[in-house]
Amino acid sequence: MTFAATSVFEFANWKVKSPEYQVTLLSEYGGPVASSLGPEVQTTPFKRHTFDTIVVAGDHEAQTPTPALVAYLKSAARRSVRIASICTGAFALAEAGLLDGRRATTHWYYARDLQRRYPKVIVLEDRIFTNDGPIWTSSGMSAGVDLALALLENDLGSDIARTVARLLVVSHRRSGGQSQYSTLLDLDAQSDRVQTVLKYVKENLRSRLTVTELANAAFLSPRQFSRLFHEETGHSPAKAVERLRVESAKIMMEAGRFSVDEIARKNGFGNRERMRRSFLRAFGRAPQAIQREVRSRDETPERISVLRSAG
């Protein structure tokens, strides 16, 4: 999955028709290195090499990095413009002391382990990626693509980042503060009927979405639909609708382009008070608290000049 992130830089070069990025795969000793699936990739030893950007890949077990890698990262931090990590690569940055006192994230499965092993790190366990000064970290798997697109946007602007996202068939670049979790995945519907209803809900959040309306979408009676829906998802239709609404509202809030009233209206809450109560049930925080966090996050990141290589 880490290699998918490098495609962002490849397609950026292709689109702008100039070598804005030169990507080099590094390892401690160089030579062929087996991927987690087995196929090998050719690498260059990281000794005596300097790069503007260092991106550290993760592994499946959050293993402690070797002393040589830790030493290299400490040295690179003094010579590189920025250092990033994907997934459990954050553990290598933490071991090198580069995350001390900084905000960072990693794959949700290992976030609490990162906090336990490195208490000086401010771990944000439900983030797609974070940027704290020259240090960037992402959560797991596909989030590396979101991180790479954010780096590209920081370098060459939002237009080229959107173009590359479309070329990679990414529906949109998720914001750094967006949740790693998906309500649709958590509901885990199995039958086509319930999946169709969930899709209908996502496309019609502004509507009232009564049980009768949802049952009609599933071509079932309200009683049959309610029983089937609860059997498959473990939730009542009303509870599932609320969860999808707060997830959509939170994403809009993190985008920072909508007022509270507009978000409440577009997601079918009717008014800000109903949305506030739903947010308190879902997140334990009011919408205004999340908005303040978004504003604080957007004001903190340091702007970085255009880079010419990534390794």
Side-chain angles (χ1 to χ4, degrees), residues 138-154:
S138 85
S139 58
M141 302 299 178
S142 62
V145 174
D146 297 286
L147 173 68
L149 286 168
L151 295 176
L152 172 60
E153 181 176 334
N154 193 271

Side-chain angles (χ1 to χ4, degrees), residues 60-126:
H60 292 334
E61 300 176 355
Q63 299 180 32
T64 301
T66 65
L69 176 56
V70 172
Y72 175 75
L73 290 175
K74 289 180 177 179
S75 175
R78 297 191 294 269
R79 295 178 283 111
S80 300
V81 175
R82 61 188 176 189
I83 294 184
S85 67
I86 297 175
C87 197
T88 56
F91 284 78
L93 301 189
E95 185 69 20
L98 303 184
L99 300 184
D100 288 354
R102 295 187 183 275
R103 297 169 298 158
T105 193
T106 187
H107 194 295
W108 63 264
Y109 189 83
Y110 290 103
R112 295 187 180 181
D113 189 32
L114 179 66
Q115 186 68 85
R116 179 184 59 81
R117 287 165 60 176
Y118 304 99
K120 294 182 181 179
V121 182
I122 304 169
V123 179
L124 305 178
E125 63 180 84
D126 190 18

Side-chain angles (χ1 to χ4, degrees), residues 113 162 223 274:
D113 189 32
R162 282 194 295 269
R223 183 176 179 180
R274 285 186 59 193

Side-chain angles (χ1 to χ4, degrees), residues 108-286:
W108 63 264
Y109 189 83
Y110 290 103
R112 295 187 180 181
D113 189 32
L114 179 66
Q115 186 68 85
R116 179 184 59 81
R117 287 165 60 176
Y118 304 99
K120 294 182 181 179
V121 182
I122 304 169
V123 179
L124 305 178
E125 63 180 84
D126 190 18
R127 293 291 185 273
I128 295 297
F129 64 85
T130 65
N131 168 213
D132 193 332
I135 306 296
W136 299 65
T137 57
S138 85
S139 58
M141 302 299 178
S142 62
V145 174
D146 297 286
L147 173 68
L149 286 168
L151 295 176
L152 172 60
E153 181 176 334
N154 193 271
D155 296 343
L156 303 181
S158 57
D159 288 344
I160 184 63
R162 282 194 295 269
T163 298
V164 170
R166 287 195 293 269
L167 289 170
L168 295 177
V169 198
V170 177
S171 59
H172 69 288
R173 179 181 72 75
R174 293 173 291 184
S175 65
Q178 189 170 328
S179 173
Q180 296 185 36
Y181 308 105
S182 167
T183 295
L184 287 179
L185 283 176
D186 193 35
L187 292 173
D188 195 26
Q190 299 172 6
S191 70
D192 290 342
R193 289 179 187 267
V194 176
Q195 288 180 11
T196 298
V197 168
L198 290 174
K199 184 175 183 293
Y200 179 85
V201 171
K202 288 285 287 184
E203 294 173 350
N204 295 276
L205 289 175
R206 298 181 71 155
S207 302
R208 289 186 60 195
L209 297 173
T210 63
V211 171
T212 300
E213 181 181 352
L214 300 182
N216 288 337
F219 298 100
L220 293 170
S221 70
R223 183 176 179 180
Q224 289 175 314
F225 167 70
S226 295
R227 182 173 64 249
L228 176 63
F229 192 92
H230 192 277
E231 286 176 356
E232 291 200 12
T233 69
H235 297 279
S236 68
K239 184 64 176 178
V241 168
E242 181 181 57
R243 290 185 60 184
L244 289 168
R245 279 180 168 147
V246 296
E247 181 178 73
S248 174
K250 187 169 183 284
I251 291 172
M252 290 180 66
M253 204 160 288
E254 287 164 346
R257 298 190 298 270
F258 307 93
S259 68
V260 172
D261 289 329
E262 188 176 7
I263 293 171
R265 185 176 63 257
K266 286 180 177 293
N267 289 284
F269 290 105
N271 57 64
R272 62 164 61 199
E273 178 56 27
R274 285 186 59 193
M275 186 171 73
R276 188 186 73 84
R277 291 197 297 267
S278 293
F279 266 64
L280 289 173
R281 283 192 291 269
F283 308 118
R285 293 183 295 167

